[in-house]
Amino acid sequence: MEDQTYNVKLYIYDLSKGLARQLSPILLGKQLEGVWHTAIVIHGAEYFFGGQGITHCPPAATLLGQPDAIVDLGNTEVPKDIFTEYVSSLQESTYRPETYRLFEHNCNTFSSEMAQFLTGRKIPSYITDLPSDVLSTPFGQTLRPLIESVSIAPPTDNSFNGHYGQR
């Protein structure tokens, strides 16, 4: 029996739609390229973590539209049934909706963990380092209480346990 491999992609969205690039030098005193939301695309679906827990949908089907960048993370031999089982276990433990934290435990944390599980590599550090880059500035420290009260959840009707388009 021949081993089958599956392509793994990282979808990267700039939630600021370019505003971070324009305003960060003024507000933070340093250049940020974007405010990143990421998702892992494998087995024909896009998986991400937000205030609603782990969610999936067809690729690029959230209200965020098309990603700003797509990074090919390589291939994995993890079949859909094992992947689904793994994500279900994370949904019940590490990535429950109430564990979401904008700076410490977010979509990028999830994407990096998924990438590590599937390919042995994490996502680019410029994405995962963004929260500490923001918090290292005086303005970031001032805004921290407000920012931490925000929950990011790209709108979709899908919890991980549901199926796209069904309730």
Side-chain angles (χ1 to χ4, degrees):
M1 184 167 139
E2 192 176 308
D3 288 336
Q4 187 166 0
T5 61
Y6 309 92
N7 189 247
V8 182
K9 293 195 182 316
L10 178 70
Y11 277 27
I12 304 170
Y13 302 88
D14 177 9
L15 295 175
S16 79
K17 299 292 186 195
L19 284 177
R21 190 177 301 110
Q22 293 174 6
L23 298 178
S24 61
I26 299 160
L27 297 175
L28 301 176
K30 61 171 32 175
Q31 182 69 54
L32 299 180
E33 293 305 312
V35 176
W36 309 119
H37 166 75
T38 59
I40 294 290
V41 175
I42 184 172
H43 300 301
E46 179 174 344
Y47 294 85
F48 55 92
F49 174 63
Q52 298 172 326
I54 298 171
T55 308
H56 74 288
C57 62
T62 70
L63 290 184
L64 298 175
Q66 291 298 314
D68 293 290
I70 298 174
V71 176
D72 188 340
L73 297 176
N75 292 321
T76 185
E77 294 179 3
V78 178
K80 187 171 185 174
D81 60 338
I82 291 174
F83 176 74
T84 301
E85 192 175 305
Y86 179 66
V87 173
S88 288
S89 73
L90 292 178
Q91 174 83 3
E92 294 168 12
S93 59
T94 317
Y95 291 95
R96 295 184 319 276
E98 66 273 14
T99 66
Y100 180 86
R101 299 288 176 272
L102 188 60
F103 284 115
E104 291 90 12
H105 193 68
N106 56 37
C107 60
N108 303 322
T109 313
F110 174 76
S111 292
S112 197
E113 188 167 328
M114 290 290 97
Q116 181 83 34
F117 173 73
L118 293 166
T119 68
R121 297 192 319 268
K122 295 183 177 184
I123 68 172
S125 61
Y126 76 88
I127 296 170
T128 53
D129 291 348
L130 181 66
S132 59
D133 288 347
V134 171
L135 291 176
S136 70
T137 68
F139 191 67
Q141 283 297 314
T142 302
L143 283 182
R144 184 178 185 139
L146 171 66
I147 294 170
E148 285 183 338
S149 70
V150 174
S151 173
I152 305 293
T156 174
D157 278 342
N158 287 346
S159 69
F160 177 69
N161 296 320
H163 294 287
Y164 189 73
Q166 298 176 347
R167 290 199 180 277

